Amino acid sequence: MTYRAARWAALAPGDSVRLRPKRTPGERVETTVVQLLDRNLADGLGFVDDAGEVFRQFYYDLEIFTSPAP
């Protein structure tokens, strides 16, 4: 799988992403975006994954899966 750095605003439901904590040591997390958080109600960009965990822009660097060219 190939990942590239991406902006949080570019996320869409169904995207496969890899996240790395910004300010603390930790493992990279690979997951799938199921639902985007409402930008008007949430305290920043973020999403919910298939396990129900919430990820927010303030805490993670984001890479998005890019499929190889055919």
Side-chain angles (χ1 to χ4, degrees):
M1 295 176 88
T2 304
Y3 287 88
R4 65 173 172 77
R7 294 182 8 207
W8 280 78
L11 283 179
D15 286 345
S16 294
V17 295
R18 183 166 60 187
L19 303 147
R20 181 177 47 85
K22 283 185 177 182
R23 295 174 180 88
T24 59
E27 297 291 322
R28 289 182 184 217
V29 177
E30 292 184 17
T31 190
T32 302
V33 177
V34 173
Q35 178 184 0
L36 299 176
L37 297 178
D38 186 340
R39 294 179 190 191
N40 296 325
L41 302 177
D43 57 348
L45 299 176
F47 70 91
V48 179
D49 73 353
D50 48 1
E53 192 169 348
V54 175
F55 295 93
R56 296 187 185 273
Q57 176 182 15
F58 300 119
Y59 305 111
Y60 295 93
D61 288 324
L62 173 75
E63 296 176 321
I64 192 166
F65 174 70
T66 55
S67 56

